Amino acid sequence: MSNRFTDTVDCVSDYILNSPGTFITDSLRGFVAAHPDIVWQSAPGFLHLRERAGESQVALVSGGGSGHEPMHSGMIGTGMLDAACPGLVFTSPNALQIVGATRWADRGAGVLHIVKNYTGDIMNFRIARHLVRDDIETDHVVVADDVASDSATGPGRRGTGATILVEKICGAAAARGDDLGTVADIGRRVADNARSISVAYHACTMPSKSAPTFELDADEMEFGVGIHGEAGRERTARVGARELVNRMVDPLVDALSLTHGEEVICLVNGLGAAHPLELDLVFGEVVADLDRRGISIARPMVGTFVTALDMRGVSITLLRADDEVVSLFDAPTTAPGWAANPSRGTAPLSDTSFAEPSDSADDGAENEWLTRFVRHVQESIDDLTELDQKAGDGDFGTNMEAALSHFSLPVRGTDSQVLSAISTSYLVRSGGTSGVIFGVLFRELAHAFSETDDVEAAIREGSSHALAEIQDLGGAQVGDNTMVDALSPAVDALENGDSLSDVAEKAAEGAESTRDTTATKGRASYVGENARGVVDPGALVVSWLYQALADD
Ligand code: ADP
Ligand code: MG
């Protein structure tokens, strides 16, 4: 007997699923379980708000192919949609689904259909309105915002990102009690004044397929892409975000004839696999771009709202704003897919770089041994990265580079000055475990070298204080496969009065000993057996420090 939870997946898919055939219904199951105020009607197949709106309220129904979530299911809520009809992936719902949703939603004040401009959607919604015309007053708004599909012939512009703005603004108008004609007029005004464009760096993959709907080379992008996995208007070389945004905003401003002094609502939308960092970055570029054109953003909306399955890309939608549009945009909604804490404006762009710490060592005499050490690390960044990739998470080289790459060689200053500058640099410029561990090591060394001119005494005192503090901080013992494996034998040798070259040798042996152990501390501990045979990079760098001193 088969158990639905242990059945093996019967196809190769990029998606987490039981089977491609139940992808949408299994997802809907989780969606309604997570949202108790949204209900699924399996016959004929639509989602609706559990509580019906008041009698005098116009109802809103939308729908379309699945794969664009959180649109439309996530836009069901008070102040937005009363019901939504999901079709199969990228396939319009059928007319009977729409009839069912329309009949359920009607309170006597009429039902507005919000329809994306695709032939199948247009026809099914139209037939549905035809089928209910004897009993229910209906109207419809067609959303056709995608400038990439603007052409004199053919079905006209596709409906994309602007759809949720129409749903939001019409929903707010219905909630405040506007009649059907008024809500529809506002919807058409919003649709007429909104334009979008999309770009993809990677196409989407259908749940039942193992390859994306089209292939892009690593340096290519699809400009003017649609949200159904269809190729775009133009395949071109990738450009920097600034230029990309400029190319995207141009046709939107043109199409809307936006002029200096006007305000817009700006939606920067992820198409499924764009990272929030990318979306924020794109929004920053849009702000800068519109600023140069003298257009201001009354309301920003940045996030993932209208997707094309797992497409890696972004769309930009501009909607000409006026006071009424903005106040309806701001009205509350319970729709789970709408922005949870929507922004009420934009701030001017600010400088968000990290301030440069003033940690450079004094000018003065060349410091030979610390120059040797810094040079050794600077020249070994790639090797250190590789070691941490094999035995950790790969950031060790970056952390060393962040701390030491800005020192120009030779480094100048007394031992204490340079050690102190290195310590500060580790603490403020690098992250990770190594930033703080090496920051502490060099701080203790700097302190000890400032107390005495006796180099052997200073390195002994500084090293043993550093070891104690690092062990206190991270709990590593010898054999845990960390820099402690090099530092601890060096401290033993120093306390034993060994020569600096013997100390360096002990540290090197300690570093080498990490080759045969697996880490139990730090990120490297997560990779377990994979760390066997790899020298711990932190221990290696510690051994270089003692080597640099011994070579004096
Ligand atoms: P992470 O990736 O763990 O944040 P880094 O890659 O910056 O850290 O640094 C890794 C190095 O830090 C290791 O090579 C190891 O020598 C050292 N390290 C990790 N954990 C400890 C610890 N508890 N005590 C001392 N050194 C440690
Ligand atoms: Mg690491």
Side-chain angles (χ1 to χ4, degrees), residues 388 392-396 399 523-524:
D388 196 35
D393 55 358
D395 62 340
F396 184 83
N399 288 333
R523 296 276 169 98

Side-chain angles (χ1 to χ4, degrees), residues 388 393 395-396 399 431-435 437-438 470 474-476 481-484 521-524 536-539:
D388 196 35
D393 55 358
D395 62 340
F396 184 83
N399 288 333
T433 310
S434 57
I437 295 271
F438 280 82
I470 288 166
N481 200 0
T482 70
M483 54 89 80
V484 167
K521 299 284 178 214
R523 296 276 169 98
D536 177 68

Side-chain angles (χ1 to χ4, degrees), residues 467-535:
L467 177 63
E469 194 167 336
I470 288 166
Q471 291 195 299
D472 188 41
L473 195 61
Q477 302 299 323
V478 170
D480 284 345
N481 200 0
T482 70
M483 54 89 80
V484 167
D485 290 357
L487 184 57
S488 180
V491 167
D492 290 344
L494 284 163
E495 287 176 352
N496 200 32
D498 292 0
S499 69
L500 288 178
S501 59
D502 283 348
V503 171
E505 202 167 306
K506 290 282 158 46
E509 282 169 19
E512 186 57 29
S513 75
T514 61
R515 193 183 289 283
D516 304 318
T517 45
T518 57
T520 58
K521 299 284 178 214
R523 296 276 169 98
S525 57
Y526 306 134
V527 304
E529 283 299 314
N530 289 342
R532 213 176 277 289
V534 183
V535 173

Side-chain angles (χ1 to χ4, degrees), residues 81-292:
L81 300 180
D82 295 84
C85 309
L88 300 174
V89 174
F90 295 161
T91 308
S92 91
N94 65 49
L96 294 185
Q97 289 177 271
I98 301 163
V99 167
T102 305
R103 288 200 185 284
W104 179 86
D106 181 46
R107 291 290 147 277
V111 179
L112 180 70
H113 287 172
I114 296 170
V115 189
K116 301 196 298 303
N117 188 31
Y118 299 96
T119 310
D121 295 67
I122 294 285
M123 292 196 307
N124 280 291
F125 274 91
R126 185 166 160 189
I127 294 299
R129 284 193 299 282
H130 191 79
L131 292 174
V132 301
R133 72 183 159 180
D134 291 341
D135 322 305
I136 301 173
E137 194 192 354
T138 61
D139 202 339
H140 70 295
V141 175
V142 175
V143 186
D145 54 319
D146 177 23
V147 295
S149 45
D150 212 346
S151 73
T153 56
R157 289 183 307 267
R158 298 173 288 221
T160 60
T163 313
I164 59 164
L165 302 179
V166 174
E167 291 173 352
K168 176 70 187 69
I169 288 163
C170 288
R176 76 178 174 187
D178 288 4
D179 63 23
L180 182 61
T182 310
V183 178
D185 282 344
I186 290 172
R188 282 187 276 268
R189 178 151 65 88
V190 171
D192 285 346
N193 282 285
R195 290 292 183 275
S196 305
I197 186 144
S198 310
V199 65
Y201 277 26
H202 199 280
C204 61
T205 302
M206 298 292 279
S208 56
K209 300 273 164 50
S210 52
T213 51
F214 56 86
E215 290 289 348
L216 283 172
D217 285 342
D219 57 351
E220 285 180 330
M221 63 178 178
E222 196 73 21
F223 192 84
V225 75
I227 58 169
H228 294 102
E230 66 269 50
R233 187 160 66 172
E234 194 190 352
R235 185 161 304 183
T236 68
R238 290 183 189 174
V239 293
R242 187 158 309 145
E243 185 177 344
L244 175 65
V245 166
N246 181 263
R247 284 195 207 170
M248 293 174 80
V249 170
D250 259 342
L252 303 182
V253 168
D254 273 0
L256 292 171
S257 307
L258 286 168
T259 54
H260 198 277
E262 285 199 276
E263 281 198 327
V264 292
I265 290 174
C266 171
L267 167 63
V268 169
N269 169 63
L271 293 174
H275 196 274
L277 283 168
E278 294 176 283
L279 301 182
D280 285 334
L281 186 152
V282 165
F283 183 72
E285 297 299 343
V286 175
V287 172
D289 192 277
L290 289 180
D291 201 43
R292 283 193 290 277

